[in-house]
């Protein structure tokens, strides 16, 4: 089974792509069968994704948390799972047209960084790896979903402003509900985002002798955290709702992506093995 | 705008503006601006390569202005938290015991009329809301009649904890930087370094760290599995502790930690003049320069098993034919390079004498550190995590009820809710339907 790990993930990638297409067609034609097909393909993709994670674990001999590709496939897995939760809770299948493409795009990005499974390098041989990466999966998964929901909000808001009140607009949750869902996802993510930085700091203290040394990865994780800190204050103190809050949620996820992918590629530092 | 009284003295006015200035400084808006500034500065800092200081910005994170920024942020957080504390301390703010004037503009608001009397209505809502887990306080003040119900009162405490934790972490970092030390030591196998004296604050009993062995472990595919330093701690010449130090396994001795941070080879280098006199002798780490009178010798790399056909390739740790690759510079110009066998003298030409690399010893790059701030920081981390979960996973929900007995048997009920419109919307039917008088459940006395 191990030798098929890359194929399993490719299968997941294509399933997510096909599911995205079906969900988007559902948004256009509002045919329930299309949405059902989208859900079915997403479930199939998640199963393939799960197999890819298991196969990778068997091949590498450790949980697949050691580089960007390995983390990426777990992140996409979590994002699709979060989507199922959202669809189940809101009963709105149209959101799949926004979240599944996000899963498919992320899966595509991480496929580009494919690496052969290798044994763990000295810095990663620690129990902190597990907890550090699990917090990252929860935080980044929820933030990716919040970004997709925020994009949905902005799109729907534009449609409504242009006077469109057709069935497509009706298939999506109300603007207020979208704002609430995005905010709930961010509220879910922020404690984990915090824990992600703190576990990283504790680990760095044991492995590198310093809990904080302004390494690019550390600094960018702080920047991400500050973006969401500003978001939370904006919401409570300045009463941010709707467009401004949603724009901020999108900016937040862009900083997440930069922290996670951009820093590895563009800014060398202690964390560079993660590439 | 109200006119200022003419009698106000200049001094008072000045203190007035100062107070005003201070009040606006400790506002949350200022706090948000400071967060933005710290974010922007951090952002700029990551694009200046580490170790290479920008002439203007320097190493952003250690400049005075960045520290001032962090100091201002901490001051703002402290002031904002202090302002909120009294209100939090009274577990429910006094204002909650009054029905707010703006009840009709709350996120959730409904006005209903009922035929039941005031007592029955109060009874109904008390039972309903206590079942939903709210704690309830009757409001009876003058004309006002109603109740205040609240759930998730812990949430604001979580928010306070997060803010305090930032201050605690900052204090821990400051304390650690002021009363600790951190030093990188390249220790060749067999040698030791003395830790003690004024250079090492917090070390009461001096001791020596001795590297008894250094080795590298490999996986079967040839990648590195671990760097291992066998370190002994000597106190007064007597070994008191011996431990293996690996990347994720530092040594801890009386609050001093020793970390595995790098490794390499130290080359014993001897520079001899034409008459055979030793000009300079030193242990030089790979790729580091040894300088005398304008001549620089750089032992680039130690090769345990040198093969002239493939000079850069070498099997690890097997000193069959040990050589050192070197470069010689004369006043900044590269004049000579090559591979010298360990123990053999190599003439440098042009009256420059010769060099001998007498030995090559593996060294372990260790970081020796004492940071008394770490326990404080860990405490701050714990508080921050707990605070965030309480603050964001518990929601404070507040409901006010305003009951007005109107003419002949009609009672007007206003329900206002703050905290989450979604939650209240889901409760809509139970919050707005008042059962017939005989169906109102009586509270257990």
């Amino acid at each position: 089974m191990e030798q098929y790990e890359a194929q399993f993930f490719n299968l997941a990638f294509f399933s997510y792509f096909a599911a995205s297409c079906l969900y988007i067609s559902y948004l256009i034609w509002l045919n329930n069968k299309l949405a059902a097909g989208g859900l079915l393909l997403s479930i199939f993709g998640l199963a393939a994704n799960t197999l890819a994670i298991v196969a990778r674990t068997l091949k590498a001999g450790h949980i697949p948390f050691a580089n960007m590709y390995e983390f990426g496939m777990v992140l996409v897995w979590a994002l699709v799972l979060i989507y199922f939760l959202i669809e189940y809770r809101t009963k709105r299948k149209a959101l799949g047209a926004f979240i599944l493409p996000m899963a498919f795009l992320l899966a595509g990005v991480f496929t580009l960084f494919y690496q052969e499974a290798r044994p763990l390098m000295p810095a990663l041989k620690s129990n902190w790896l597990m907890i550090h990466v699990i917090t990252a999966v929860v935080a980044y998964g929820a933030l990716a979903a919040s970004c997709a929901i925020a994009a949905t909000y902005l799109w729907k808001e534009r449609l409504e402003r242009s006077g469109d009140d057709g069935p497509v607009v009706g298939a999506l949750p109300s603007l207020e509900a979208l704002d609430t869902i995005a905010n709930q996802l961010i509220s879910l993510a922020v404690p984990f985002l915090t824990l992600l930085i703190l576990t990283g700091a504790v680990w760095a203290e044991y492995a590198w002798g310093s809990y904080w040394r302004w390494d690019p990865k550390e600094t960018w994780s702080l920047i991400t955290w500050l973006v969401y800190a500003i978001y939370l204050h904006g919401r409570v103190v300045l009463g941010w709702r709707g467009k401004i809050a949603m724009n901020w949620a999108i900016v937040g996820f862009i900083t997440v992506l930069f922290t996670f992918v951009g820093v590895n590629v563009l800014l060398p530092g202690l964390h560079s093995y993660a590439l | 705008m109200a006119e200022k009284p003419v009698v106000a003295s200049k001094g008072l006015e000045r203190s007035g503006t100062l107070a005003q200035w201070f009040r606006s400084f400790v506002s949350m808006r200022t706090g948000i601006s400071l967060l933005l500034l710290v974010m922007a500065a951090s952002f700029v800092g990551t694009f200046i390569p580490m170790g290479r200081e920008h002439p203007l910005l320097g190493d952003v994170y250690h400049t005075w202005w960045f520290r001032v920024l962090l100091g201002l942020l901490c001051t703002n957080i402290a002031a904002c938290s202090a302002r909120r504390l009294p209100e939090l301390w009274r577990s429910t703010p006094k204002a909650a015991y009054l029905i707010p004037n703006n009840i009709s503009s709350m996120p959730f608001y409904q006005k209903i009329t009922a035929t039941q009397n005031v007592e029955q209505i109060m009874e109904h809502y008390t039972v309903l809301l206590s079942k939903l887990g709210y704690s309830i306080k009757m409001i009876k003040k003058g004309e006002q009649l109603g109740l205040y119900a609240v759930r998730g009162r812990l949430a604001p405490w979580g928010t306070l904890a997060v803010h305090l934790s930032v201050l605690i972490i900052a204090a821990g970092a400051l304390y650690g930087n002021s009363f600790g030390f951190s030093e990188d030591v390249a220790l060749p196998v067999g040698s030791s370094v003395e830790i003690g004296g004024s250079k090492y604050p917090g070390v009461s009993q001096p001791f020596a760290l001795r590297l008894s062995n250094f080795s590298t472990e490999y996986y079967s595919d040839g990648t590195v599995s671990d760097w291992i330093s066998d370190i002994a701690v000597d106190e007064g010449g007597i070994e008191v502790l011996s431990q293996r130090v690996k990347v994720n396994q530092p040594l801890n001795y009386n609050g001093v930690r020793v970390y595995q941070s790098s490794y390499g080879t130290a080359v014993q280098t001897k520079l001899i003049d034409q008459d055979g006199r030793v000009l300079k002798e030193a242990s030089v780490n790979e790729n580091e320069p040894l300088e005398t009178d304008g001549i620089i010798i750089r032992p680039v790399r130690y090769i345990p098993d040198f093969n002239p056909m493939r000079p850069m390739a070498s099997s690890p740790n097997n000193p069959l034919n040990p050589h050192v690759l070197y470069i010689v510079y004369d006043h900044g110009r590269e004049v000579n390079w090559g591979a010298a066998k360990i123990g053999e003298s190599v003439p440098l030409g042009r009256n420059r004498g010769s060099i001998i690399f007498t030995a090559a010893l593996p060294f372990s790059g260790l970081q020796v550190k004492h940071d008394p701030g770490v326990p404080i920081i860990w405490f701050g981390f714990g508080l921050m995590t707990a605070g965030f979960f309480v603050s964001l996973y518990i929601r404070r929900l507040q409901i006010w009820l305003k009951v007005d007995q109107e003419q002949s048997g009609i009672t007007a009920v206003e329900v206002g809710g703050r905290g989450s419109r979604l939650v209240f919307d889901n409760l809509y039917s139970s919050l707005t339907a008042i059962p017939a008088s005989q169906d109102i459940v009586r509270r257990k006395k």
Side-chain angles (χ1 to χ4, degrees):
Chain A
M1 178 180 171
E2 295 100 285
Q3 65 271 33
Y4 298 119
E5 52 110 356
Q7 281 83 342
F8 283 136
F9 194 60
N10 285 340
L11 189 63
F13 170 73
F14 286 113
S15 310
Y16 294 148
F17 172 70
S20 305
C21 292
L22 284 178
Y23 272 120
I24 290 169
S25 337
Y26 165 74
L27 199 59
I28 298 168
W29 289 292
L30 294 174
N31 181 335
N32 278 328
K33 276 185 190 150
L34 290 168
L39 181 63
L40 211 66
L41 274 171
S42 313
I43 293 170
F44 182 73
L46 191 75
N49 201 339
T50 311
L51 282 175
I53 293 170
V54 173
R56 181 77 179 193
T57 307
L58 292 174
K59 194 170 174 187
H62 54 80
I63 40 167
F65 287 172
N67 56 46
M68 218 154 86
Y69 172 74
E70 294 183 352
F71 173 73
M73 56 193 222
V74 184
L75 173 64
V76 174
W77 180 85
L79 176 60
V80 175
L81 214 59
I82 288 172
Y83 170 68
F84 290 160
L85 196 73
I86 294 173
E87 187 180 312
Y88 175 75
R89 287 270 300 261
T90 61
K91 310 269 180 269
R92 300 289 183 137
K93 306 171 201 83
L95 289 175
F98 293 85
I99 298 180
L100 258 296
M102 174 77 98
F104 144 70
L105 284 175
L106 287 176
V109 169
F110 297 124
T111 313
L112 292 179
F113 292 100
Y114 180 78
Q115 259 187 16
E116 282 297 328
R118 275 191 305 207
L120 287 178
M121 57 171 296
L124 293 181
K125 289 165 73 175
S126 164
N127 292 332
W128 287 102
L129 175 66
M130 172 95 104
I131 177 152
H132 183 59
V133 179
I134 286 177
T135 55
V137 167
V138 178
Y140 288 4
L143 292 176
S146 81
C147 175
I149 299 286
T152 317
Y153 179 100
L154 294 177
W155 186 71
K156 189 180 180 191
E157 198 260 353
R158 250 177 87 167
L159 279 185
E160 283 190 357
R161 211 153 19 100
S162 68
D164 185 337
D165 54 355
V168 172
V169 169
L172 289 165
S174 70
L175 287 182
E176 205 190 341
L178 287 170
D179 176 274
T180 306
I181 298 169
N183 185 53
Q184 280 177 341
L185 284 165
I186 292 174
S187 302
L188 169 86
V190 168
F192 283 94
L193 192 68
T194 309
L195 209 48
L196 172 61
I197 300 174
L198 302 189
T199 52
V202 174
W203 187 7
E205 174 71 20
Y206 282 96
W208 298 328
S210 177
Y211 53 85
W212 195 267
R213 52 171 84 197
W214 296 102
D215 173 82
K217 195 71 156 185
E218 292 170 350
T219 309
W220 270 93
S221 72
L222 176 70
I223 293 172
T224 309
W225 189 81
L226 287 171
V227 170
Y228 287 104
I230 292 168
Y231 169 89
L232 290 176
H233 285 95
R235 235 177 138 88
V236 174
V237 181
L238 307 177
W240 285 0
R241 294 289 183 280
K243 227 168 148 182
I244 182 163
M246 296 303 105
N247 281 330
W248 207 260
I250 289 176
V251 169
F253 188 64
I254 291 170
T255 55
V256 165
L257 277 184
F258 192 83
T259 306
F260 173 35
V261 183
V263 171
N264 292 356
V265 177
L266 300 173
L267 301 169
L270 279 175
H271 224 273
S272 48
Y273 53 79
L275 190 64
Chain B
M1 242 196 172
E3 267 180 57
K4 276 183 189 152
V6 192
V7 285
S9 78
K10 248 191 169 167
L12 267 176
E13 217 170 280
R14 200 179 301 136
S15 77
T17 48
L18 200 71
Q20 249 170 15
W21 182 86
F22 184 72
R23 222 174 301 134
S24 74
F25 170 72
V26 301
S27 77
M28 296 228 247
R29 275 167 199 273
T30 311
I32 295 175
S33 317
L34 286 167
L35 285 175
L36 267 167
L37 281 173
V38 171
M39 191 182 86
S42 308
F43 176 84
V44 170
T46 56
F47 290 97
I48 297 166
M50 278 182 113
R52 227 180 301 160
E53 302 204 342
H54 190 275
L56 194 70
L57 298 167
D59 167 13
V60 169
Y61 313 111
H62 298 99
T63 53
W64 63 268
W65 58 267
F66 192 72
R67 281 163 203 233
V68 167
L69 211 53
L70 293 181
L72 286 175
L73 182 63
C74 287
T75 314
N76 178 276
I77 291 172
C80 287
S81 303
R83 256 198 337 197
R84 275 184 59 72
L85 194 62
E87 184 193 299
L88 266 176
W89 193 249
R90 289 179 259 117
S91 67
T92 306
K94 265 186 193 145
Y97 295 144
L98 297 171
I99 296 158
N101 292 327
N102 63 350
I103 185 166
S104 59
S105 59
M106 284 184 185
F108 177 86
Y109 175 75
Q110 274 300 316
K111 188 171 183 173
I112 36 184
T113 49
T115 49
Q116 295 86 338
N117 64 33
V118 173
E119 286 72 39
Q120 286 171 323
I121 288 167
M122 295 282 267
E123 189 75 31
H124 163 67
Y125 277 101
T126 308
V127 172
L128 172 78
L129 291 170
S130 6
K131 258 192 210 153
L132 290 169
Y134 287 79
S135 50
I136 289 152
K137 175 89 187 165
M138 296 292 171
I139 300 174
K140 261 184 204 153
K141 202 161 192 185
E143 292 288 289
Q144 284 200 332
L145 194 61
L147 61 81
Y148 169 70
V150 63
R151 238 185 88 171
R153 261 190 289 201
L154 212 55
W157 286 98
T159 311
L160 181 73
V162 171
H163 287 88
L164 289 182
S165 73
V166 173
L167 300 179
I168 291 169
I169 292 167
L174 206 63
Y175 182 63
N177 282 341
S178 315
F179 299 102
F181 66 86
S182 173
E183 194 185 36
D184 291 316
V185 182
L187 208 55
V189 172
S191 55
S192 58
V193 60
E194 198 70 33
I195 307 292
S198 59
K199 223 177 111 192
Y200 302 99
V203 180
S204 48
Q205 183 76 33
F207 60 91
L209 293 171
R210 180 161 47 83
L211 182 66
S212 39
N213 193 27
F214 176 76
S215 57
T216 308
E217 276 180 4
Y218 297 87
Y219 289 113
S220 54
D221 70 348
T223 54
V224 174
S225 151
D226 252 319
W227 294 287
I228 301 161
S229 296
D230 290 311
I231 296 201
V233 177
D234 297 334
E235 221 170 75
I238 300 153
E239 184 177 309
V240 289
L241 178 76
S242 156
Q243 195 195 304
R244 316 197 95 184
V245 172
K246 302 184 196 177
V247 176
N248 268 298
Q249 189 184 306
L251 176 151
N252 192 347
Y253 183 70
N254 288 349
V256 176
R257 281 178 188 273
V258 180
Y259 300 87
Q260 182 69 54
S261 72
S262 67
Y263 67 99
T265 307
V267 180
Q268 300 302 121
T269 310
K270 214 190 265 186
L271 185 65
I272 301 166
D273 74 2
Q274 287 151 300
D275 308 323
R277 275 177 306 178
V278 176
L279 287 176
K280 196 154 192 179
E281 185 170 9
S283 170
V284 187
N285 295 343
E286 278 175 316
N287 237 349
E288 276 176 18
L290 176 72
E291 187 175 2
T292 46
D293 295 330
I295 293 181
I296 296 172
I297 295 155
R298 189 192 292 273
V300 178
R301 198 172 150 192
Y302 166 69
I303 312 257
D305 187 10
F306 182 68
N307 174 356
M309 305 305 288
R310 293 168 63 221
M312 295 300 282
S314 174
S315 65
N317 301 330
N318 211 2
L320 295 173
N321 186 22
H323 274 66
V324 172
L325 301 181
Y326 66 91
I327 304 177
V328 182
Y329 302 87
D330 191 344
H331 293 92
R333 209 160 47 84
E334 189 183 311
V335 291
N336 197 345
W337 60 272
K341 189 166 175 152
I342 295 287
E344 274 179 16
S345 130
V346 181
L348 297 175
R350 279 221 198 158
N351 309 330
R352 289 192 197 98
S354 55
I355 41 166
I356 306 178
F357 300 110
T358 50
L361 285 171
F363 74 82
S364 176
L366 300 170
Q367 190 190 349
V368 183
K369 197 185 101 165
H370 170 60
D371 188 343
V374 166
I376 303 172
I377 303 245
W378 279 188
F379 174 72
F381 281 9
L383 188 65
M384 182 179 267
T385 307
F388 258 118
F389 277 105
V390 169
S391 168
L392 293 174
Y393 283 39
I394 296 177
R395 202 165 7 188
R396 184 170 62 165
L397 301 170
Q398 294 172 290
I399 294 176
W400 283 269
L401 196 73
K402 187 167 184 259
V403 185
D404 282 308
Q405 180 81 62
E406 288 180 354
Q407 77 281 35
S408 58
I410 299 287
T411 314
V413 183
E414 289 176 79
V415 188
R418 233 185 238 158
S420 160
R421 212 167 127 189
L422 208 71
V423 172
F424 295 133
D425 282 347
N426 288 337
L427 284 176
Y428 182 85
S429 52
S430 46
L431 280 178
T432 52
I434 303 169
S437 1
Q438 67 271 21
D439 293 338
I440 291 179
V441 191
R442 294 220 62 90
R443 218 178 339 165
K444 284 190 195 109
K445 289 278 153 86

